[in-house]
Protein backbone atom coordinates (compact mmCIF):
# COMPACT_ATOMS: atom_id res chain seq x y z
CA UNK A 1 0.00 0.00 0.00
CA UNK A 2 2.73 2.42 1.07
CA UNK A 3 4.57 1.58 -2.10
CA UNK A 4 1.51 2.32 -4.19
CA UNK A 5 0.95 5.60 -2.45
CA UNK A 6 4.47 6.61 -3.25
CA UNK A 7 3.70 6.07 -6.94
CA UNK A 8 0.86 8.50 -6.69
CA UNK A 9 2.96 11.03 -4.84
CA UNK A 10 5.70 10.65 -7.41
CA UNK A 11 3.26 11.43 -10.21
CA UNK A 12 2.05 14.57 -8.49
CA UNK A 13 5.64 15.60 -7.96
CA UNK A 14 6.28 15.05 -11.64
CA UNK A 15 3.38 17.21 -12.64
CA UNK A 16 4.66 20.00 -10.43
CA UNK A 17 8.17 19.66 -11.83
CA UNK A 18 6.84 19.74 -15.40
CA UNK A 19 4.96 22.92 -14.59
CA UNK A 20 8.10 24.41 -13.11
CA UNK A 21 10.17 23.49 -16.14
CA UNK A 22 7.62 25.15 -18.37
CA UNK A 23 7.87 28.32 -16.33
CA UNK A 24 11.63 28.14 -16.40
CA UNK A 25 11.55 28.04 -20.19
CA UNK A 26 9.49 31.12 -20.31
CA UNK A 27 11.73 32.92 -17.85
CA UNK A 28 14.94 32.04 -19.60
CA UNK A 29 13.44 33.04 -22.91
CA UNK A 30 12.50 36.40 -21.56
CA UNK A 31 15.94 36.84 -20.05
CA UNK A 32 17.79 36.08 -23.29
CA UNK A 33 18.78 39.57 -24.37
CA UNK A 34 19.63 39.86 -28.06
CA UNK A 35 23.33 40.08 -28.73
CA UNK A 36 24.60 41.88 -31.72
CA UNK A 37 22.95 40.81 -34.88
CA UNK A 38 24.09 37.61 -36.47
CA UNK A 39 21.79 34.71 -37.19
CA UNK A 40 24.60 32.25 -36.88
CA UNK A 41 25.08 28.95 -35.15
CA UNK A 42 27.12 30.56 -32.37
CA UNK A 43 24.17 32.57 -31.16
CA UNK A 44 21.82 29.66 -31.78
CA UNK A 45 22.61 27.88 -28.57
CA UNK A 46 21.44 30.35 -25.96
CA UNK A 47 18.57 31.38 -28.13
CA UNK A 48 17.08 28.04 -28.94
CA UNK A 49 17.88 26.03 -25.86
CA UNK A 50 14.69 26.85 -24.06
CA UNK A 51 12.60 25.96 -27.08
CA UNK A 52 14.11 22.51 -27.29
CA UNK A 53 12.47 21.75 -23.96
CA UNK A 54 9.06 21.53 -25.65
CA UNK A 55 8.02 18.09 -24.54
CA UNK A 56 5.71 15.47 -25.91
CA UNK A 57 2.89 16.55 -23.61
CA UNK A 58 3.01 20.16 -24.68
CA UNK A 59 3.11 19.23 -28.34
CA UNK A 60 0.23 16.91 -27.89
CA UNK A 61 -1.86 19.52 -26.15
CA UNK A 62 -1.01 22.05 -28.82
CA UNK A 63 -2.17 19.68 -31.56
CA UNK A 64 -5.41 19.11 -29.65
CA UNK A 65 -6.00 22.83 -29.42
CA UNK A 66 -5.26 23.38 -33.09
CA UNK A 67 -7.38 20.58 -34.44
CA UNK A 68 -10.83 21.98 -34.20
CA UNK A 69 -11.60 20.14 -37.40
CA UNK A 70 -10.89 16.67 -38.65
CA UNK A 71 -7.57 16.11 -40.36
CA UNK A 72 -8.42 14.88 -43.82
CA UNK A 73 -6.04 12.91 -45.94
CA UNK A 74 -5.78 9.69 -47.80
CA UNK A 75 -4.09 7.48 -45.26
CA UNK A 76 -3.97 3.75 -45.65
CA UNK A 77 -5.68 1.84 -42.91
CA UNK A 78 -4.41 -1.45 -41.53
CA UNK A 79 -6.66 -3.59 -39.41
CA UNK A 80 -5.67 -6.68 -37.48
CA UNK A 81 -8.72 -8.30 -36.01
CA UNK A 82 -8.54 -10.32 -32.83
CA UNK A 83 -10.51 -12.97 -34.61
CA UNK A 84 -9.33 -12.87 -38.20
CA UNK A 85 -12.26 -15.06 -39.28
CA UNK A 86 -14.99 -12.71 -38.17
CA UNK A 87 -16.24 -10.34 -40.85
CA UNK A 88 -14.97 -6.78 -40.68
CA UNK A 89 -17.75 -4.23 -40.61
CA UNK A 90 -17.30 -0.62 -41.31
CA UNK A 91 -19.98 2.03 -41.09
CA UNK A 92 -20.59 5.05 -43.24
CA UNK A 93 -23.20 6.57 -40.96
CA UNK A 94 -23.57 7.07 -37.21
CA UNK A 95 -27.18 5.92 -37.60
CA UNK A 96 -25.97 2.40 -38.38
CA UNK A 97 -24.47 2.01 -34.91
CA UNK A 98 -27.61 1.44 -32.82
CA UNK A 99 -26.82 4.41 -30.63
CA UNK A 100 -29.39 5.92 -28.30
CA UNK A 101 -31.19 8.97 -29.55
CA UNK A 102 -29.57 11.06 -26.80
CA UNK A 103 -26.13 10.15 -28.04
CA UNK A 104 -26.99 10.66 -31.69
CA UNK A 105 -28.30 14.12 -30.84
CA UNK A 106 -25.08 14.86 -28.98
CA UNK A 107 -23.05 13.83 -32.04
CA UNK A 108 -25.15 15.98 -34.36
CA UNK A 109 -24.87 18.93 -31.99
CA UNK A 110 -21.09 18.65 -32.30
CA UNK A 111 -21.46 19.05 -36.03
CA UNK A 112 -20.42 15.52 -36.97
CA UNK A 113 -22.35 14.31 -39.98
CA UNK A 114 -20.52 11.06 -40.65
CA UNK A 115 -17.78 8.97 -39.06
CA UNK A 116 -14.16 9.86 -39.80
CA UNK A 117 -12.01 7.32 -41.55
CA UNK A 118 -10.73 5.68 -38.37
CA UNK A 119 -14.19 5.83 -36.80
CA UNK A 120 -15.71 3.96 -39.76
CA UNK A 121 -13.73 0.86 -38.86
CA UNK A 122 -13.12 1.39 -35.15
CA UNK A 123 -16.67 2.13 -34.01
CA UNK A 124 -18.29 -1.21 -34.99
CA UNK A 125 -15.46 -3.02 -33.19
CA UNK A 126 -15.56 -0.66 -30.20
CA UNK A 127 -19.31 -0.98 -29.76
CA UNK A 128 -19.52 -4.74 -30.37
CA UNK A 129 -20.98 -7.05 -27.77
CA UNK A 130 -19.40 -8.76 -25.96
CA UNK A 131 -16.90 -5.89 -25.79
CA UNK A 132 -13.53 -6.29 -27.45
CA UNK A 133 -10.22 -4.65 -26.69
CA UNK A 134 -8.54 -2.27 -29.09
CA UNK A 135 -5.24 -0.60 -29.86
CA UNK A 136 -5.67 2.29 -32.30
CA UNK A 137 -2.94 4.42 -33.74
CA UNK A 138 -3.40 7.38 -36.01
CA UNK A 139 -2.19 10.93 -36.22
CA UNK A 140 -3.65 13.72 -34.16
CA UNK A 141 -6.92 15.13 -35.34
CA UNK A 142 -8.25 12.00 -37.03
CA UNK A 143 -11.08 11.37 -34.59
CA UNK A 144 -9.71 9.00 -31.95
CA UNK A 145 -10.96 10.97 -28.95
CA UNK A 146 -14.45 11.26 -30.37
CA UNK A 147 -14.43 7.48 -30.97
CA UNK A 148 -13.51 6.44 -27.47
CA UNK A 149 -15.68 9.08 -25.82
CA UNK A 150 -18.60 7.72 -27.80
CA UNK A 151 -17.70 4.21 -26.68
CA UNK A 152 -17.59 5.22 -23.03
CA UNK A 153 -20.89 7.07 -23.24
CA UNK A 154 -22.61 4.22 -25.03
CA UNK A 155 -21.71 1.87 -22.16
CA UNK A 156 -22.63 4.14 -19.26
CA UNK A 157 -25.76 3.29 -17.28
CA UNK A 158 -26.79 6.59 -15.77
CA UNK A 159 -28.91 4.95 -13.07
CA UNK A 160 -25.87 3.22 -11.55
CA UNK A 161 -24.18 5.72 -9.18
CA UNK A 162 -20.54 4.61 -9.52
CA UNK A 163 -17.69 4.98 -12.03
CA UNK A 164 -18.14 2.69 -15.02
CA UNK A 165 -15.65 4.25 -17.42
CA UNK A 166 -12.11 5.27 -16.61
CA UNK A 167 -9.87 7.26 -18.94
CA UNK A 168 -6.21 7.98 -18.20
CA UNK A 169 -4.49 10.91 -19.89
CA UNK A 170 -0.88 12.00 -19.50
CA UNK A 171 -1.59 15.54 -18.30
CA UNK A 172 -4.08 17.63 -16.45
CA UNK A 173 -4.85 19.71 -19.54
CA UNK A 174 -5.38 16.73 -21.82
CA UNK A 175 -7.66 15.12 -19.24
CA UNK A 176 -9.78 18.27 -19.15
CA UNK A 177 -9.87 18.41 -22.95
CA UNK A 178 -11.22 14.87 -23.13
CA UNK A 179 -13.72 15.68 -20.40
CA UNK A 180 -14.97 18.64 -22.35
CA UNK A 181 -15.66 16.45 -25.38
CA UNK A 182 -17.39 13.87 -23.20
CA UNK A 183 -19.57 16.43 -21.47
CA UNK A 184 -20.53 17.93 -24.80
CA UNK A 185 -21.31 14.66 -26.52
CA UNK A 186 -23.21 13.38 -23.48
CA UNK A 187 -25.10 16.58 -22.73
CA UNK A 188 -28.46 14.96 -23.51
CA UNK A 189 -27.83 12.04 -21.18
CA UNK A 190 -29.82 13.12 -18.14
CA UNK A 191 -27.87 12.88 -14.91
CA UNK A 192 -24.53 12.02 -16.51
CA UNK A 193 -21.63 12.95 -14.24
CA UNK A 194 -17.90 13.14 -14.79
CA UNK A 195 -15.20 13.30 -12.14
CA UNK A 196 -11.63 14.45 -12.77
CA UNK A 197 -8.85 12.61 -10.98
CA UNK A 198 -6.22 15.26 -11.56
CA UNK A 199 -3.84 17.21 -9.36
CA UNK A 200 -5.50 19.19 -6.58
CA UNK A 201 -8.60 17.00 -6.78
CA UNK A 202 -7.78 14.97 -3.72
CA UNK A 203 -10.47 12.76 -2.24
CA UNK A 204 -11.15 12.88 1.47
CA UNK A 205 -10.89 9.66 3.46
CA UNK A 206 -14.15 7.77 3.17
CA UNK A 207 -15.36 9.90 0.26
CA UNK A 208 -17.04 7.92 -2.53
CA UNK A 209 -17.11 9.00 -6.12
CA UNK A 210 -20.54 8.51 -7.67
CA UNK A 211 -19.79 10.00 -11.11
CA UNK A 212 -20.25 7.63 -14.05
CA UNK A 213 -17.01 8.51 -15.76
CA UNK A 214 -13.61 9.23 -14.22
CA UNK A 215 -11.01 11.02 -16.33
CA UNK A 216 -7.60 11.75 -14.92
CA UNK A 217 -3.86 11.35 -14.76
CA UNK A 218 -2.32 8.06 -13.61
CA UNK A 219 -0.93 9.30 -10.27
CA UNK A 220 -4.05 10.89 -8.87
CA UNK A 221 -6.24 8.12 -10.26
CA UNK A 222 -4.14 5.57 -8.45
CA UNK A 223 -4.47 7.69 -5.34
CA UNK A 224 -8.26 7.61 -5.66
CA UNK A 225 -8.25 3.87 -6.10
CA UNK A 226 -5.95 3.37 -3.12
CA UNK A 227 -8.23 5.54 -1.02
CA UNK A 228 -11.15 3.40 -2.17
CA UNK A 229 -12.91 6.39 -3.67
CA UNK A 230 -14.28 4.03 -6.28
CA UNK A 231 -14.18 0.35 -7.05
CA UNK A 232 -12.07 -0.36 -10.15
CA UNK A 233 -13.56 -3.82 -10.52
CA UNK A 234 -16.88 -2.18 -11.50
CA UNK A 235 -15.32 -0.27 -14.39
CA UNK A 236 -16.49 -1.61 -17.75
CA UNK A 237 -14.44 0.59 -20.14
CA UNK A 238 -10.82 1.56 -19.54
CA UNK A 239 -9.15 4.00 -21.94
CA UNK A 240 -5.48 4.86 -22.10
CA UNK A 241 -5.23 7.98 -24.17
CA UNK A 242 -2.11 9.45 -25.77
CA UNK A 243 -0.16 6.34 -24.89
CA UNK A 244 2.89 7.67 -26.73
CA UNK A 245 2.95 10.76 -24.56
CA UNK A 246 2.18 8.70 -21.50
CA UNK A 247 5.27 6.55 -21.87
CA UNK A 248 7.42 9.61 -22.42
CA UNK A 249 6.59 10.58 -18.84
CA UNK A 250 8.59 8.63 -16.35
CA UNK A 251 6.55 6.47 -14.05
CA UNK A 252 3.28 6.77 -15.94
CA UNK A 253 3.73 3.48 -17.73
CA UNK A 254 4.05 1.56 -14.48
CA UNK A 255 1.24 3.47 -12.84
CA UNK A 256 -1.09 2.80 -15.73
CA UNK A 257 -0.28 -0.89 -15.59
CA UNK A 258 -0.98 -0.90 -11.85
CA UNK A 259 -4.36 0.71 -12.39
CA UNK A 260 -5.16 -1.67 -15.22
CA UNK A 261 -4.40 -4.70 -13.00
CA UNK A 262 -7.12 -3.69 -10.58
CA UNK A 263 -9.79 -3.85 -13.29
CA UNK A 264 -11.98 -6.85 -13.90
CA UNK A 265 -11.22 -9.43 -16.57
CA UNK A 266 -14.29 -8.39 -18.53
CA UNK A 267 -13.42 -4.69 -18.63
CA UNK A 268 -12.99 -3.39 -22.16
CA UNK A 269 -9.44 -2.06 -22.57
CA UNK A 270 -8.68 0.57 -25.19
CA UNK A 271 -5.42 2.25 -26.02
CA UNK A 272 -4.90 5.20 -28.34
CA UNK A 273 -1.72 6.70 -29.65
CA UNK A 274 -0.67 9.17 -32.32
CA UNK A 275 2.57 7.35 -33.09
CA UNK A 276 3.52 3.81 -33.94
CA UNK A 277 6.95 3.15 -32.55
CA UNK A 278 7.98 -0.05 -30.88
CA UNK A 279 7.95 1.33 -27.34
CA UNK A 280 4.28 2.24 -27.66
CA UNK A 281 3.44 -1.17 -29.08
CA UNK A 282 5.29 -2.98 -26.26
CA UNK A 283 3.41 -0.93 -23.71
CA UNK A 284 0.14 -1.47 -25.54
CA UNK A 285 0.54 -5.23 -25.53
CA UNK A 286 1.10 -5.19 -21.75
CA UNK A 287 -2.07 -3.25 -21.02
CA UNK A 288 -4.41 -4.51 -23.70
CA UNK A 289 -4.80 -8.27 -23.96
CA UNK A 290 -6.12 -9.82 -27.19
CA UNK A 291 -6.69 -6.56 -29.02
CA UNK A 292 -8.07 -5.57 -32.38
CA UNK A 293 -5.43 -3.31 -33.86
CA UNK A 294 -6.20 -0.41 -36.16
CA UNK A 295 -3.52 1.77 -37.65
CA UNK A 296 -4.08 4.72 -39.90
CA UNK A 297 -0.75 5.71 -41.34
CA UNK A 298 -0.23 9.31 -42.28
CA UNK A 299 0.63 10.13 -45.86
CA UNK A 300 4.30 9.92 -46.55
CA UNK A 301 5.87 13.30 -46.92
CA UNK A 302 7.57 13.54 -50.27
CA UNK A 303 9.47 16.18 -52.15
CA UNK A 304 8.05 15.12 -55.50
CA UNK A 305 5.91 18.06 -56.48
CA UNK A 306 7.93 20.75 -54.77
CA UNK A 307 10.21 23.01 -56.75
CA UNK A 308 13.30 23.62 -54.68
CA UNK A 309 15.79 26.45 -55.09
CA UNK A 310 18.67 28.03 -53.29
CA UNK A 311 19.77 31.61 -53.28
CA UNK A 312 23.10 32.90 -52.00
CA UNK A 313 22.72 35.99 -49.82
CA UNK A 314 25.67 37.71 -48.22
CA UNK A 315 23.94 38.94 -45.08
CA UNK A 316 20.78 38.87 -43.08
CA UNK A 317 19.65 42.12 -44.68
CA UNK A 318 20.27 40.60 -48.11
CA UNK A 319 18.12 37.63 -47.18
CA UNK A 320 15.32 39.98 -46.28
CA UNK A 321 15.77 41.80 -49.55
CA UNK A 322 15.66 38.49 -51.41
CA UNK A 323 12.42 37.64 -49.67
CA UNK A 324 10.86 40.92 -50.70
CA UNK A 325 11.98 40.34 -54.28
CA UNK A 326 10.42 36.89 -54.29
CA UNK A 327 7.11 38.36 -53.23
CA UNK A 328 7.49 40.74 -56.16
CA UNK A 329 7.27 37.94 -58.72
CA UNK A 330 5.27 35.28 -56.98
CA UNK A 331 1.70 35.45 -55.73
CA UNK A 332 2.08 33.51 -52.54
CA UNK A 333 -0.91 31.93 -50.88
CA UNK A 334 0.55 31.27 -47.49
CA UNK A 335 4.18 31.00 -46.53
CA UNK A 336 6.20 29.68 -43.64
CA UNK A 337 9.66 31.09 -43.05
CA UNK A 338 12.04 29.17 -40.84
CA UNK A 339 14.80 30.92 -38.92
CA UNK A 340 17.58 29.36 -36.89
CA UNK A 341 17.06 31.49 -33.83
CA UNK A 342 14.28 33.21 -32.04
CA UNK A 343 16.18 36.46 -32.34
CA UNK A 344 16.32 36.27 -36.13
CA UNK A 345 12.68 35.29 -36.28
CA UNK A 346 11.73 38.33 -34.23
CA UNK A 347 13.92 40.62 -36.30
CA UNK A 348 12.54 39.27 -39.55
CA UNK A 349 8.94 39.53 -38.52
CA UNK A 350 9.53 43.14 -37.49
CA UNK A 351 11.16 43.92 -40.83
CA UNK A 352 8.34 42.27 -42.70
CA UNK A 353 5.70 44.11 -40.69
CA UNK A 354 7.42 47.37 -41.46
CA UNK A 355 7.44 46.30 -45.11
CA UNK A 356 3.67 45.95 -45.03
CA UNK A 357 3.34 42.19 -44.67
CA UNK A 358 0.82 40.72 -42.28
CA UNK A 359 2.99 38.38 -40.30
CA UNK A 360 2.54 35.97 -37.43
CA UNK A 361 5.49 35.09 -35.25
CA UNK A 362 5.63 31.72 -33.57
CA UNK A 363 8.50 31.27 -31.20
CA UNK A 364 9.53 29.57 -28.05
CA UNK A 365 8.70 32.13 -25.40
CA UNK A 366 5.00 31.57 -26.03
CA UNK A 367 3.11 29.04 -24.01
CA UNK A 368 1.17 26.19 -25.56
CA UNK A 369 -2.16 28.01 -25.66
CA UNK A 370 -0.64 31.08 -27.28
CA UNK A 371 1.11 28.96 -29.89
CA UNK A 372 -2.08 27.08 -30.64
CA UNK A 373 -3.92 30.36 -31.07
CA UNK A 374 -1.33 31.66 -33.55
CA UNK A 375 -1.41 28.42 -35.54
CA UNK A 376 -5.18 28.42 -35.66
CA UNK A 377 -5.24 31.96 -36.96
CA UNK A 378 -2.69 31.00 -39.58
CA UNK A 379 -4.73 27.93 -40.54
CA UNK A 380 -7.69 30.24 -41.01
CA UNK A 381 -5.45 32.45 -43.19
CA UNK A 382 -5.84 35.47 -40.91
CA UNK A 383 -2.12 35.91 -41.48
CA UNK A 384 -0.46 34.90 -44.71
CA UNK A 385 3.10 34.65 -43.46
CA UNK A 386 4.29 32.65 -40.49
CA UNK A 387 7.81 33.29 -39.24
CA UNK A 388 9.03 30.61 -36.92
CA UNK A 389 11.97 28.74 -35.48
CA UNK A 390 12.79 25.13 -35.94
CA UNK A 391 11.54 23.81 -32.67
CA UNK A 392 8.08 25.16 -33.21
CA UNK A 393 7.79 23.57 -36.61
CA UNK A 394 7.02 20.11 -35.24
CA UNK A 395 3.54 21.04 -34.25
CA UNK A 396 2.72 22.79 -37.47
CA UNK A 397 0.34 20.92 -39.68
CA UNK A 398 -0.88 23.56 -42.05
CA UNK A 399 -1.68 22.18 -45.42
CA UNK A 400 -2.41 25.20 -47.55
CA UNK A 401 1.14 26.53 -47.51
CA UNK A 402 2.55 27.16 -50.99
CA UNK A 403 5.92 28.66 -50.13
CA UNK A 404 8.47 27.53 -47.58
CA UNK A 405 11.60 29.60 -47.06
CA UNK A 406 14.57 28.33 -45.13
CA UNK A 407 15.85 31.71 -44.03
CA UNK A 408 18.47 29.59 -42.29
CA UNK A 409 19.30 26.04 -43.28
CA UNK A 410 18.20 23.29 -40.89
CA UNK A 411 21.17 22.03 -38.92
CA UNK A 412 21.47 19.30 -36.34
CA UNK A 413 23.28 19.60 -33.01
CA UNK A 414 26.61 19.04 -34.73
CA UNK A 415 26.07 21.69 -37.36
CA UNK A 416 25.42 19.08 -40.06
CA UNK A 417 22.48 18.98 -42.50
CA UNK A 418 19.28 17.96 -40.70
CA UNK A 419 17.57 16.12 -43.54
CA UNK A 420 14.62 14.93 -41.50
CA UNK A 421 13.78 18.48 -40.49
CA UNK A 422 14.27 19.63 -44.07
CA UNK A 423 11.73 17.05 -45.25
CA UNK A 424 9.35 17.98 -42.48
CA UNK A 425 9.55 21.71 -43.27
CA UNK A 426 9.35 21.37 -47.03
CA UNK A 427 6.88 18.49 -46.99
CA UNK A 428 4.30 20.92 -45.58
CA UNK A 429 3.95 22.52 -48.95
CA UNK A 430 2.70 21.05 -52.17
CA UNK A 431 0.09 18.87 -50.55
CA UNK A 432 -2.96 17.59 -52.42
CA UNK A 433 -1.34 17.82 -55.81
CA UNK A 434 -0.77 21.57 -55.55
CA UNK A 435 2.78 22.34 -56.43
CA UNK A 436 4.81 24.13 -53.84
CA UNK A 437 7.97 26.15 -53.84
CA UNK A 438 10.81 25.91 -51.36
CA UNK A 439 13.65 28.39 -51.27
CA UNK A 440 16.83 27.93 -49.27
CA UNK A 441 18.90 30.95 -48.32
CA UNK A 442 22.61 30.27 -48.28
CA UNK A 443 24.91 32.67 -46.46
CA UNK A 444 27.79 33.44 -48.74
CA UNK A 445 30.42 33.73 -46.07
CA UNK A 446 29.68 30.30 -44.83
CA UNK A 447 30.88 27.35 -46.87
CA UNK A 448 29.01 25.25 -44.44
CA UNK A 449 25.60 26.23 -45.78
CA UNK A 450 26.61 25.12 -49.25
CA UNK A 451 27.91 21.83 -47.88
CA UNK A 452 24.62 21.38 -46.05
CA UNK A 453 22.73 21.98 -49.27
CA UNK A 454 24.86 19.41 -51.08
CA UNK A 455 24.23 16.88 -48.30
CA UNK A 456 20.50 17.44 -48.60
CA UNK A 457 20.66 16.97 -52.37
CA UNK A 458 22.61 13.76 -51.92
CA UNK A 459 20.35 12.44 -49.19
CA UNK A 460 17.16 12.86 -51.22
CA UNK A 461 18.76 12.25 -54.63
CA UNK A 462 17.53 15.62 -55.89
CA UNK A 463 18.94 18.69 -57.55
CA UNK A 464 18.25 22.03 -55.90
CA UNK A 465 18.44 24.72 -58.55
CA UNK A 466 19.97 28.15 -58.00
CA UNK A 467 17.74 31.21 -58.02
CA UNK A 468 19.14 34.66 -58.47
CA UNK A 469 16.92 36.71 -56.21
CA UNK A 470 18.50 39.93 -57.44
CA UNK A 471 17.46 39.20 -61.01
CA UNK A 472 13.76 39.57 -61.76
CA UNK A 473 14.40 37.89 -65.06
CA UNK A 474 15.80 34.74 -63.48
CA UNK A 475 13.08 34.66 -60.85
CA UNK A 476 10.35 35.33 -63.36
CA UNK A 477 11.59 32.47 -65.52
CA UNK A 478 11.84 30.00 -62.67
CA UNK A 479 9.09 30.86 -60.21
CA UNK A 480 7.22 33.85 -61.63
CA UNK A 481 3.45 33.83 -61.95
CA UNK A 482 2.61 37.54 -61.97
P1 LIG B 1 -7.76 12.83 -32.22
O1 LIG B 1 -8.19 12.32 -30.88
O2 LIG B 1 -7.38 11.73 -33.16
O3 LIG B 1 -6.72 13.89 -32.13
P2 LIG B 1 -10.34 14.15 -32.25
O4 LIG B 1 -11.31 13.11 -31.88
O5 LIG B 1 -9.94 15.12 -31.18
O6 LIG B 1 -9.01 13.52 -32.91
O7 LIG B 1 -10.92 14.93 -33.52
C1 LIG B 1 -10.25 16.01 -34.13
C2 LIG B 1 -11.26 17.10 -34.50
O8 LIG B 1 -12.19 16.57 -35.42
C3 LIG B 1 -12.07 17.57 -33.30
O9 LIG B 1 -12.29 18.94 -33.45
C4 LIG B 1 -13.36 16.80 -33.40
O10 LIG B 1 -14.45 17.52 -32.86
C5 LIG B 1 -13.52 16.63 -34.90
N1 LIG B 1 -14.20 15.36 -35.26
C6 LIG B 1 -14.01 14.13 -34.72
N2 LIG B 1 -14.81 13.23 -35.34
C7 LIG B 1 -15.51 13.89 -36.28
C8 LIG B 1 -16.50 13.52 -37.26
N3 LIG B 1 -16.93 12.26 -37.39
N4 LIG B 1 -16.98 14.48 -38.08
C9 LIG B 1 -16.55 15.78 -37.97
N5 LIG B 1 -15.63 16.19 -37.08
C10 LIG B 1 -15.11 15.27 -36.24
Amino acid sequence: MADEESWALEADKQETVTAKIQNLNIDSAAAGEPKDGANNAESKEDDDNAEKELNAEQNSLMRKLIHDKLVQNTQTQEVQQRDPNSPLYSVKKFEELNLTEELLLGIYAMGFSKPSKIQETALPLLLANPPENMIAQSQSGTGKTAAFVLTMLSRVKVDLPHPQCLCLSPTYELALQTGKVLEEMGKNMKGLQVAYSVRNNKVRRGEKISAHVVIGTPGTTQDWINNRAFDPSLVSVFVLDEADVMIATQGFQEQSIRVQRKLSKTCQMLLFSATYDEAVMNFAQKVVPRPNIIQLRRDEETLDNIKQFYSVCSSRDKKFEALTNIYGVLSVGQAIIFCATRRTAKWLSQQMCEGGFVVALLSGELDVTQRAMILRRFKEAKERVLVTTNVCSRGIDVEQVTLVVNFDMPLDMNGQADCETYLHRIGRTGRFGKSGIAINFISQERDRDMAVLKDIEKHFGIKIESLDTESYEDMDKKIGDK
Side-chain angles (χ1 to χ4, degrees):
M1 185 76 168
D3 180 31
E4 293 184 348
E5 266 163 12
S6 71
W7 277 110
L9 285 175
E10 205 49 49
D12 281 343
K13 248 197 295 186
Q14 245 159 34
E15 286 182 1
T16 326
V17 170
T18 312
K20 277 192 190 146
I21 290 173
Q22 286 167 8
N23 289 337
L24 273 182
N25 284 350
I26 292 164
D27 291 348
S28 59
E33 277 301 307
K35 289 191 210 129
D36 116 73
N39 52 352
N40 54 25
E42 289 72 51
S43 59
K44 180 172 161 61
E45 213 176 69
D46 51 346
D47 202 33
D48 265 1
N49 267 349
E51 296 185 68
K52 290 216 172 68
E53 299 291 338
L54 247 202
N55 58 28
E57 301 160 10
Q58 290 170 311
N59 265 326
S60 185
L61 177 64
M62 185 164 77
R63 279 194 291 269
K64 274 257 132 61
L65 298 176
I66 298 168
H67 289 137
D68 56 342
K69 286 201 190 78
L70 267 181
V71 169
Q72 300 279 8
N73 47 14
T74 50
Q75 306 106 323
T76 41
Q77 185 158 248
E78 296 160 21
V79 185
Q80 257 172 273
Q81 274 187 278
R82 182 175 69 101
D83 173 5
N85 296 322
S86 74
L88 179 67
Y89 295 107
S90 86
V91 288
K92 293 284 175 205
K93 293 181 183 160
F94 287 113
E95 295 76 6
E96 292 170 50
L97 288 165
N98 275 330
L99 298 168
T100 60
E101 195 184 325
E102 294 157 337
L103 255 180
L104 265 183
L105 289 175
I107 291 168
Y108 297 151
M110 293 177 81
F112 301 178
S113 51
K114 63 182 181 55
S116 70
K117 187 152 178 171
I118 195 162
Q119 290 163 2
E120 283 181 1
T121 328
L123 285 173
L125 290 166
L126 286 167
L127 302 176
N129 276 314
E132 297 189 16
N133 296 344
M134 178 177 289
I135 296 172
Q137 299 173 299
S138 77
Q139 90 185 80
S140 270
T142 49
K144 298 185 297 296
T145 306
F148 71 71
V149 162
L150 180 59
T151 310
M152 290 200 282
L153 288 174
S154 74
R155 301 213 186 265
V156 159
K157 295 189 177 69
V158 184
D159 47 349
L160 299 179
H162 63 79
Q164 300 150 50
C165 302
L166 172 61
C167 173
L168 296 187
S169 291
T171 66
Y172 173 85
E173 290 83 3
L174 288 164
L176 295 196
Q177 280 288 322
T178 303
K180 218 167 99 185
V181 176
L182 186 122
E183 290 185 27
E184 202 180 341
M185 198 183 277
K187 70 177 179 197
N188 298 307
M189 293 173 64
K190 260 212 170 75
L192 177 73
Q193 281 183 359
V194 190
Y196 294 92
S197 49
V198 290
R199 63 169 188 255
N200 299 337
N201 273 357
K202 302 262 180 274
V203 284
R204 286 183 306 276
R205 191 171 288 276
E207 187 183 347
K208 294 280 174 225
I209 302 292
S210 59
H212 308 99
V213 180
V214 173
I215 303 177
T217 47
T220 312
T221 306
Q222 180 152 30
D223 218 5
W224 282 23
I225 294 175
N226 291 343
N227 283 329
R228 304 190 194 288
F230 72 95
D231 181 355
S233 70
L234 297 178
V235 167
S236 54
V237 185
F238 173 63
V239 178
L240 261 176
D241 188 21
E242 310 260 349
D244 42 351
V245 184
M246 196 81 96
I247 59 174
T249 308
Q250 220 197 349
F252 275 16
Q253 220 182 121
E254 292 81 352
Q255 284 168 337
S256 306
I257 292 170
R258 278 168 188 258
V259 169
Q260 185 263 5
R261 287 202 183 128
K262 300 219 163 81
L263 307 169
S264 81
K265 291 268 170 296
T266 55
C267 176
Q268 182 177 23
M269 317 261 179
L270 312 173
L271 179 142
F272 294 82
S273 158
T275 59
Y276 319 88
D277 56 34
E278 217 184 304
V280 175
M281 216 41 186
N282 289 341
F283 174 49
Q285 309 278 350
K286 277 191 224 160
V287 214
V288 183
R290 291 172 299 111
N292 295 300
I293 301 177
I294 298 189
Q295 295 179 323
L296 196 58
R297 295 199 178 269
R298 73 176 300 152
D299 296 335
E300 290 286 312
E301 279 165 351
T302 73
L303 298 174
D304 287 353
N305 57 346
I306 300 156
K307 291 193 234 159
Q308 297 163 73
F309 299 93
Y310 73 89
S311 171
V312 178
C313 308
S314 55
S315 65
R316 192 169 72 167
D317 291 321
K318 285 281 178 208
K319 287 183 179 181
F320 174 61
E321 221 175 278
L323 199 57
T324 320
N325 293 347
I326 290 165
Y327 268 85
V329 293
L330 183 68
S331 27
V332 179
Q334 277 185 283
I336 303 186
I337 304 172
F338 290 98
C339 300
T341 66
R342 191 184 301 166
R343 194 175 310 132
T344 308
K346 199 167 161 195
W347 173 85
L348 178 62
S349 63
Q350 270 162 2
Q351 297 292 309
M352 291 190 79
C353 282
E354 283 165 21
F357 291 93
V358 184
V359 181
L361 172 64
L362 182 72
S363 69
E365 71 269 34
L366 304 174
D367 69 21
V368 174
T369 328
Q370 291 166 323
R371 288 178 199 208
M373 196 177 73
I374 288 174
L375 284 170
R376 271 173 74 159
R377 285 180 59 89
F378 186 66
K379 265 170 110 81
E380 290 161 12
K382 297 224 165 78
E383 280 92 18
R384 304 258 302 270
V385 182
L386 182 72
V387 176
T388 185
T389 53
N390 200 21
V391 174
C392 300
S393 75
R394 286 284 154 191
I396 301 176
D397 213 344
V398 179
E399 276 140 3
Q400 69 267 31
V401 170
T402 50
L403 171 70
V404 170
V405 175
N406 282 325
F407 200 83
D408 298 301
M409 296 301 284
L411 303 178
D412 64 16
M413 306 275 274
N414 307 315
Q416 306 291 317
D418 184 347
C419 295
E420 196 197 327
T421 300
Y422 184 82
L423 175 67
H424 189 76
R425 287 181 181 182
I426 307 296
R428 310 283 88 196
T429 164
R431 290 269 183 101
F432 301 115
K434 288 184 213 144
S435 64
I437 292 178
I439 302 175
N440 297 288
F441 286 167
I442 302 290
S443 307
Q444 205 169 34
E445 73 270 29
R446 278 190 281 159
D447 296 344
R448 189 196 54 199
D449 272 8
M450 211 56 207
V452 164
L453 192 83
K454 292 282 164 237
D455 282 347
I456 289 172
E457 284 187 326
K458 207 162 123 199
H459 182 90
F460 294 108
I462 50 167
K463 180 93 195 84
I464 303 179
E465 224 186 308
S466 82
L467 182 73
D468 183 353
T469 43
E470 287 185 357
S471 154
Y472 279 92
E473 206 187 331
D474 191 51
M475 285 201 294
D476 201 31
K477 197 170 75 202
K478 292 175 178 162
I479 59 170
D481 65 356
K482 278 189 174 164

